[in-house]
């Protein structure tokens, strides 16, 4: 398995993006926010392959844009307005989720615990924080209201996956958490190991997770297909998707 | 027909902002932030400002470094991935100099919608289980009088002044945003005063004879400043992308003294009259 | 006085429109709604003369439109979008008033009493109405919030100006009520006779008003000037302004 | 790229509307009312509909005469001055056949805004002293939890379906309104289903390659009917004004039997496939 990976030169970001793309079903309304190159590419990849009628919603408000060139510094710029068919700005995307009609929201956070609490706010006391985070942006209102919240995080360590979060920014309809090591799923009120990336191992997941790793069976995240990789490289020739690694 | 000419200099426009004002800022992260106005606020050493923005980056970071800020109500304050965190904002909050009032971006929008409709609060569906409700005095839960169920509400935020950079405006204040409008139109409706900087001044007749009318009508606007490159080093869709050299220079700044040099270097450009 | 009127062929609608126009001050934000030909012409007249910087707001949402031709059947059509400089639709005009920044709203109603109550809803019981009115449109929320509500009504009789309204749709910042006979003003909680149209008389006002007509002094509504009439006739060559008479 | 084709006949589209549905109607008084849809609702003899509109005229009047209506939530139901009152609506309310739920136009807007944001009610600043608050169960007063002051609130209105006539739409449902949009964009956001009739079907690529994007995005829309003259005898800005002969003919109608003839006369036009 590992040799295949080396032969094909898969990046962890490629595996994560493909894992996220496959979670998008055809016809679903899908949103991502700022600092989200990987979800941006996951949505575009899904639309190019198995989910052509997924609806791509984003902060600039372009519905189903076809950006010519992505930007390295942003996933909230005017390129997500190019060739869009309609305007549906951020405020209305939030409204859509509030009334129960946003299918998928890609969101992040800083700390996650085994019962599905999300902290995107502070480490330490809220009023005198040891570390002040950028803020959860949409997380606090979208995780409870989107039909499925897909969390992604480029760090997987014991400070990220903790026994109990410092602060509950929100909790809600978490579907999956995609990390550089694995995919968690949320079931019956707790996080379970869903699949392990072929670039990692069960032991590595356990060593880097602050709570007991539970699973029903050991499954591996499927590798990107050739078709997926071809499209990814065409859409992102400068490899911005790997910027956080 | 007589018209109200609201054209003025950057300096005059920023004089409309007072210490301790609540200031809404247009644009989103590094896009169409009204940076010339932000720089002039820093030069005029405004104090105690209450900043409001859904997602801010360099604008809020610079104002925190310049010690103009008392609190920030926002859903997200950070550069995006490539330029990483807003270090000056973070430090100011951690040192207790700035109160970081955490919102979801949507609760900022809801608070501005309340202001725009002249109501004291706005129910918010999404904020359900969250420590944010308990630790912040601008959130609370009330009973829906029709069903008896609990609903979270956010207190209205009424900006004293809103600063917005656009691509086109006429001298009376009719202003047009090309490309993504972000929350700027809402901000213009929520605020008591609106200050516009614009890439170009278009003739009074332009919007009247176009299908593409102004997004912000003149009667909401108090000042128009002709300011090409008024968003730089941030981007301005259809005009320019970010100025990477300048952003790098700013990101390297360590303290208020270095910021002064940085601001001085912009004076020729910011004070040029067109 | 009357002979002058006959010589000049003033219509009561001309006198009412000019009276309304003169209540608009330069720079004010001014709104009128549906079925409002007279206020529409009053705003346009004021802007053409003494209030060029009055801001003209209307239901179609065109700010400061310059309609080429008015329509007989409507004061809410696309002609009020022509040459408008900005779009500010009805919902936002209401918001503007709610936050205290609409200066003048032209509104109507069916019944008015001496203490300033306005009925635009029903005659008889609300749930089993003897007469169901079209509804107050914006009145219920604009009369309390606009800085000045200018009421106009093309009927002046004892069923319109009553001792007590059947139903209180609203009460609020009434500035003036302009009728075919006179102008009332609202002062210290009661309606006072402000001016009598030169086409009418104190006795006629008294005979057609269901409450005691109070006044401080007898004043007459100024006649339209030549300039006003020239502009009115140019803007409304087909005399739509007189449609209700 | 595959796309969802939502083109269907007028008959099929109206079959999406069920008895007792809450139905929002686009346009304003005699402007851009979706009259072909309204006529087909009458032909299909829908019953018990709860109509929602800020300011309605012929649309609501016709549906009341056709006995399709159970209640009307509106700020104003009447033709404008020249065509005078909506006699069938008035009679139906006075006879107790239709419940006339009086709103200010703005409280309809506020109720739809609440629906659009998924919240159960909306505070309304302007409704202060009014018998409307006491006699209607959709208004009440609550305490602002921040100041303790009383504020009037209106209950959300969630239309099951909204019917809108536009000048341009593509077959996927992206729809563009030329000229005044009235409250149609808000209606499309508040509703569970949206039915569009359109003067012209534009190519899928039209909005993508234009600065003038669609106002109503495809994913909110359930049905698109190609229906030139779909607003007639009401007006459709940039296409046609009112049809005075036809309006006069309708205004002369006294009873349901005469309405049947009137509706039959439209069948060739309404059922033509383009």
């Amino acid at each position: 398995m590992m040799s295949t990976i080396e032969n094909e030169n898969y990046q962890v970001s490629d595996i994560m993006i493909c894992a996220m793309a496959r979670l998008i079903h055809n016809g679903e309304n899908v949103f991502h926010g700022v600092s989200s190159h990987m979800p941006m590419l996951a949505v575009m990849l899904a639309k190019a392959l198995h989910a052509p009628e997924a609806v791509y919603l984003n902060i600039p408000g372009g519905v189903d844009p076809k950006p010519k060139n992505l930007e390295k510094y942003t996933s909230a710029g005017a390129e997500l307005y190019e060739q869009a068919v309609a305007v549906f700005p951020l405020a209305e995307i939030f409204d859509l989720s509030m009334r129960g009609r946003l299918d998928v929201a890609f969101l992040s956070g800083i700390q996650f615990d085994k019962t599905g609490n999300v902290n995107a706010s502070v480490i330490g006391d809220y009023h005198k924080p040891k570390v002040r985070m950028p803020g959860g942006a949409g997380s606090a209102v979208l995780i409870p209201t989107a039909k499925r919240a897909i969390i992604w995080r480029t760090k997987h360590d014991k400070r990220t996956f903790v026994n109990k979060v410092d602060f509950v920014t929100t909790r809600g309809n978490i579907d999956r958490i995609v990390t550089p090591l694995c995919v968690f799923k949320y079931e019956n009120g707790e996080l379970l190991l869903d699949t392990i990336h072929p670039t990692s191992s069960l032991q590595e997941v356990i060593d880097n997770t602050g709570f007991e790793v539970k699973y029903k069976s050991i499954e591996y995240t499927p590798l990107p297909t050739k078709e997926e990789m071809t499209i990814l490289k065409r859409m992102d020739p400068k490899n911005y998707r790997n910027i956080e690694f | 027909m007589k018209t109200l000419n609201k054209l003025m200099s950057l300096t005059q426009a920023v004089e409309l902002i007072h210490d301790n004002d609540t200031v809404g800022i247009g644009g989103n992260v590094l896009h169409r932030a009204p940076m010339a106005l932000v720089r002039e606020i820093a030069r005029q050493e405004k104090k105690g400002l209450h900043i409001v923005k859904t997602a801010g980056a360099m604008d809020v970071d610079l104002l925190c470094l310049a010690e103009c800020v008392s609190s920030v109500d926002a859903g997200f304050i950070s550069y995006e991935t490539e330029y990483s965190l807003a270090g000056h904002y973070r430090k100011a909050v951690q040192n207790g100099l700035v109160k970081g009032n955490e919102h979801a971006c949507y609760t900022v929008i809801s608070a501005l919608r309340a202001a725009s409709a002249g109501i004291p609060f706005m129910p918010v569906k999404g904020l359900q289980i969250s420590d944010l409700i308990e630790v912040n005095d601008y959130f609370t839960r009330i009973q829906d009088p029709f069903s008896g169920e609990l609903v979270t509400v956010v207190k209205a935020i009424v900006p004293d002044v809103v600063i917005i950079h656009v691509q086109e405006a006429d001298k009376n204040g009719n202003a047009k945003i090309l490309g993504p409008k972000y929350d700027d139109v809402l901000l213009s409706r929520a605020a008591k005063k609106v200050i516009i900087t614009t890439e170009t001044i278009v003739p009074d007749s332009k919007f009247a004879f176009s299908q593409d009318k102004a997004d912000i009508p003149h009667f909401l606007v108090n000042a128009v400043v002709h300011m090409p490159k008024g968003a730089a080093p941030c981007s301005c869709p259809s005009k320019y992308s970010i100025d990477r050299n300048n952003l790098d220079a700013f990101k390297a700044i360590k303290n208020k003294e270095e910021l002064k040099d940085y601001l001085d270097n912009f004076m020729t450009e910011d004070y040029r009259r067109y």
Side-chain angles (χ1 to χ4, degrees), chain A, chain B:
Chain A
M1 203 62 167
M2 290 301 285
S3 65
T4 315
I5 292 168
E6 275 157 20
N7 289 344
E8 294 280 345
N9 267 333
Y10 296 115
Q11 306 172 135
V12 171
S13 52
D14 298 334
I15 296 171
M16 289 177 70
I17 289 168
C18 292
M20 288 192 266
R22 291 173 198 148
L23 293 170
I24 298 169
H25 308 139
N26 200 18
E28 290 185 322
N29 304 325
V30 186
F31 168 74
H32 73 76
V34 292
S35 289
S36 299
H37 274 85
M38 294 206 296
M40 175 168 74
L41 283 157
V43 181
M44 289 167 59
L45 181 61
K47 277 184 74 72
L49 286 172
H50 61 279
E53 288 155 8
V55 180
Y56 180 11
L57 304 172
N58 49 63
I59 287 182
V63 175
D64 293 336
K66 297 185 193 65
K68 283 191 277 288
N69 295 297
L70 300 180
E71 294 282 354
K72 187 178 180 190
Y73 75 100
T74 184
S75 65
E79 58 283 356
L80 296 185
Y81 213 71
E82 280 169 16
Q83 292 192 37
V85 291
V87 177
F88 203 73
L90 180 63
E92 299 201 351
I93 297 167
F94 280 120
D95 288 336
L96 186 77
S97 191
M98 299 309 126
R99 61 184 193 267
R101 289 182 60 178
L102 182 63
D103 296 298
V104 177
F106 285 99
L107 297 162
S108 200
I110 302 298
Q111 278 185 333
F112 310 91
D113 67 26
K114 60 182 172 185
T115 65
N117 289 312
V118 178
N119 177 12
S121 306
V122 289
I123 304 293
D125 179 70
Y126 176 79
H127 294 289
K128 289 187 175 181
K130 200 173 128 205
V131 186
R132 170 69 196 205
M133 302 305 175
S139 298
V141 296
L142 293 178
I143 289 179
T145 56
K147 286 184 193 160
R148 293 186 291 127
I150 301 177
I151 310 278
W152 60 287
R153 178 77 183 139
T154 53
K155 274 186 194 153
H156 189 142
D157 57 30
K158 290 189 169 183
R159 297 199 305 176
T160 303
F161 292 95
V162 299
N163 219 40
K164 194 173 181 313
V165 296
D166 279 43
F167 186 91
V168 179
T169 305
T170 189
R171 56 180 293 122
N173 304 328
I174 294 176
D175 178 57
R176 296 288 198 292
I177 304 183
V178 179
T179 87
L181 302 184
C182 70
V183 178
F184 289 111
K185 66 178 165 187
Y186 188 65
E187 228 179 80
N188 300 322
E190 64 178 352
L191 287 185
L192 301 180
L193 183 59
D194 186 28
T195 63
I196 303 165
H197 298 337
T199 37
S200 182
S201 67
L202 177 60
Q203 194 56 49
E204 196 183 3
V205 173
I206 291 170
D207 289 347
N208 287 283
T209 302
F211 52 80
E212 188 196 347
V213 176
K214 292 186 182 177
Y215 48 88
K216 288 179 172 169
S217 61
I218 298 293
E219 308 275 351
Y220 285 87
T221 315
L223 281 175
T225 64
K226 268 196 181 156
E227 197 182 11
E228 286 171 334
M229 285 310 302
T230 306
I231 292 170
L232 258 188
K233 284 174 182 165
R234 194 191 64 219
M235 292 190 308
D236 181 30
K238 293 182 181 165
N239 202 21
Y240 297 154
R241 64 193 178 278
N242 209 40
I243 189 173
E244 292 192 63
F245 292 94
Chain B
M1 187 182 292
K2 223 181 114 193
T3 46
L4 287 170
N5 185 336
K6 291 164 190 161
L7 277 176
M8 59 182 80
S9 72
L10 190 68
T11 305
Q12 289 169 314
V14 171
E15 283 167 0
L16 298 174
I17 305 173
H18 303 118
D19 288 352
N20 306 311
D21 269 359
T22 296
V23 180
I25 304 182
N28 194 278
V29 285
L30 290 184
H31 307 296
R32 217 172 26 69
M35 291 310 299
L37 285 163
V38 165
R39 287 189 291 270
E40 182 63 13
I41 290 171
R43 282 193 210 99
Q44 291 191 17
E45 300 184 351
K46 304 289 177 189
K47 293 291 167 202
L49 301 182
H50 300 275
I51 304 297
V52 182
K53 187 160 183 170
T54 48
M58 185 187 190
D59 42 8
V60 178
D61 210 25
L62 192 157
L63 291 173
C64 284
L65 176 58
E67 296 175 3
C68 300
V69 180
S70 158
S71 71
V72 177
D73 282 70
F76 181 84
I77 300 292
S78 176
Y79 301 76
E80 292 186 80
T81 321
E82 182 183 3
Y83 286 96
S84 89
L85 297 164
H88 305 297
Y89 162 75
R90 168 177 276 208
K91 217 166 97 183
V93 173
Q94 290 172 190
N95 291 346
L97 297 173
V98 166
K99 185 148 186 344
N101 289 325
E102 182 161 346
H103 282 261
C105 292
Y106 187 57
T107 61
V108 174
I109 289 168
S110 300
L112 293 170
R113 283 174 169 175
S116 147
I119 51 179
F121 64 89
M122 180 66 76
V124 181
K125 169 76 178 177
L127 203 61
Q128 296 170 354
I129 299 168
S130 176
D131 289 346
L132 290 171
I133 305 172
E134 277 69 40
V135 297
N136 291 307
D137 60 8
Y138 46 87
F139 294 133
T140 189
R141 290 189 179 91
I142 64 170
Q143 242 184 2
D144 167 19
F146 299 107
S147 74
E149 281 174 26
L150 280 181
V151 58
T152 303
V153 301
V154 60
K155 193 175 177 178
I157 298 176
V158 183
D160 294 297
V161 57
V162 149
I163 57 176
I164 292 173
H165 183 70
V166 304
Q167 292 92 344
E168 297 182 349
D170 67 23
K171 68 179 190 308
N172 310 309
N174 295 296
K176 177 86 196 157
I177 297 166
L178 306 182
K181 301 192 208 302
Y182 301 111
D183 307 301
D184 295 30
V185 173
L186 172 59
L187 280 165
S188 76
R189 271 62 169 170
K192 294 182 190 164
K193 281 185 279 190
V194 177
I195 298 175
I196 298 282
T197 54
T198 179
E199 291 290 322
T200 53
I201 296 288
V202 299
D204 291 7
S205 57
K206 156 127 195 192
F207 298 121
F209 289 95
S210 161
Q211 283 306 307
D212 233 21
K213 307 294 184 191
D215 301 300
I216 301 174
H218 61 91
F219 59 92
L220 296 179
V221 174
N222 302 75
V224 179
V225 183
H226 188 193
M227 185 57 56
K229 291 282 216 168
C234 295
S235 80
C236 186
S238 83
K239 300 290 179 181
Y240 43 87
S241 185
I242 54 169
D243 179 340
R244 290 178 171 279
N245 291 338
N246 189 281
L247 268 167
D248 290 341
F250 178 78
K251 290 291 286 186
I253 290 176
K254 298 271 180 309
N255 54 45
K256 217 179 149 184
E257 289 65 47
E258 291 175 29
L259 175 65
K260 196 183 173 307
D261 293 340
Y262 173 86
L263 293 174
D264 285 350
N265 284 338
F266 262 107
M267 278 177 65
T268 315
E269 202 158 336
D270 286 353
Y271 290 172
R272 184 177 296 142
R273 299 303 291 267
Y274 296 88

